[in-house]
Amino acid sequence: MAVSAFCQTVAEVPFQWRTMEGKLPIKENLVFDVYWKFVKVGKGTLEIKGFEEVNGRTAYHIYSEAKSAPFFDNFFKVRDINQSWIDAQSLCSLKYLINISEGGWKKYEQLDFDHENEKYILDDDGTKKPGNTVRWVQDVISAFYYIRTLDLEVGKEYVFDAHSGQDTWPLKTKVLGREKVEVNAGTFDCLVLEPVLREDAGLFKAQGSLKVWVTDDDRKMPVKMKSKIPVGSISAELSTYKS
């Protein structure tokens, strides 16, 4: 076959969505107590709301919310909402939305991903910014849920592409070991994960180490998260859960 004919044949191969074996719960509601050092300062929610359609694709709708407690609203009021829509077949991000209000700072951002053409469109507080990315990329929320679908092994490192703002980068997550964790929701045998997040990547603005404890079973349900911040550390501990 001539080179030109070969190139034409390759170019004509139609785009196909990958099929991943891992699955997530159709619905799940996790509520966390949030602590600064040893002081309870608010609550957080991670929820799988079920399936929705995004650009003709069936997607898991993930909803994350963080609220400061009423007493701390007087000092630093937090009302953060992060949402992600994850393709149910390919387990990649289709859409990511943040609406952040922290103290006097507010931020709205929406990312829409075109995996076929390896493009994204960022809506940054009303300003549209198109750009290039890679196929099967994750946002910072879908990345965590994607990890939950993997067969994790202690001592291994898992790397895949993540995106926030206008940047795509390799997100690395190490499985450090196993620990038993006691929180208000109960006592759980856990795997200890250490994702390396960017400082502006949402959920936790990691400045130093970030550790996540997930149940050592097929669910890999998050039980505890802890991150360093400039004035100490902040942690989230599971208080209730249902599916």
Side-chain angles (χ1 to χ4, degrees):
M1 182 184 291
V3 173
S4 59
F6 173 77
C7 293
Q8 184 179 9
T9 301
V10 171
E12 290 174 353
V13 174
F15 170 77
Q16 291 185 335
W17 290 88
R18 70 180 183 181
T19 299
M20 303 299 290
E21 294 183 0
K23 300 294 181 183
L24 293 166
I26 297 175
K27 289 191 175 182
E28 180 183 68
N29 184 280
L30 311 176
V31 179
F32 296 83
D33 293 323
V34 179
Y35 297 88
W36 171 65
K37 297 185 178 180
F38 299 104
V39 180
K40 184 177 174 180
V41 295
K43 282 191 172 292
T45 301
L46 284 174
E47 183 176 4
I48 304 176
K49 287 183 169 288
F51 291 125
E52 294 184 8
E53 187 173 300
V54 178
N55 297 326
R57 299 291 298 174
T58 300
Y60 295 98
H61 179 197
I62 312 297
Y63 180 89
S64 169
E65 185 175 11
K67 289 183 178 181
S68 51
F71 175 79
F72 290 97
D73 283 347
N74 298 314
F75 307 99
F76 192 80
K77 185 175 181 179
V78 173
R79 295 292 186 273
D80 291 352
I81 294 174
N82 294 262
Q83 298 181 77
S84 176
W85 287 262
I86 305 171
D87 188 80
Q89 176 186 341
S90 296
L91 296 178
C92 56
S93 177
L94 300 177
K95 180 179 176 181
Y96 176 59
L97 182 67
I98 65 172
N99 196 342
I100 292 175
S101 176
E102 297 180 356
W105 180 66
K106 297 181 184 295
K107 177 74 173 178
Y108 174 87
E109 183 177 292
Q110 179 175 316
L111 274 163
D112 292 276
F113 295 104
D114 177 356
H115 292 274
E116 180 175 359
N117 297 299
E118 300 185 357
K119 303 284 187 182
Y120 71 86
I121 297 178
L122 169 65
D123 182 344
D124 185 0
D125 284 323
T127 301
K128 298 291 182 67
K129 303 174 182 178
N132 299 317
T133 186
V134 296
R135 193 165 289 169
W136 318 133
V137 72
Q138 305 289 345
D139 62 64
V140 294
I141 293 182
S142 71
F144 173 66
Y145 282 85
Y146 174 68
I147 287 172
R148 291 181 61 184
T149 70
L150 302 179
D151 186 14
L152 302 177
E153 296 182 32
V154 173
K156 286 195 173 183
E157 181 177 80
Y158 299 82
V159 184
F160 51 87
D161 294 303
H163 188 102
S164 65
Q166 299 182 78
D167 298 321
T168 302
W169 78 98
L171 173 59
K172 300 179 181 180
T173 300
K174 297 178 182 178
V175 185
L176 300 181
R178 290 181 168 89
E179 290 183 13
K180 189 179 291 290
V181 175
E182 183 176 354
V183 293
N184 286 337
T187 301
F188 302 89
D189 292 320
C190 292
L191 293 170
V192 187
L193 312 182
E194 186 178 44
V196 181
L197 294 185
R198 294 157 54 96
E199 291 186 6
D200 60 348
L203 278 185
F204 284 100
K205 293 180 174 63
Q207 297 183 8
S209 65
L210 167 66
K211 290 184 180 179
V212 182
W213 289 258
V214 300
T215 54
D216 188 8
D217 55 23
D218 291 339
R219 298 176 299 169
K220 298 181 184 66
M221 181 177 70
V223 169
K224 181 179 177 181
M225 293 171 271
K226 188 172 184 179
S227 176
K228 291 183 179 179
I229 59 174
V231 288
S233 64
I234 188 167
S235 63
E237 298 182 0
L238 187 65
S239 58
T240 63
Y241 63 97
K242 62 181 179 180
S243 56

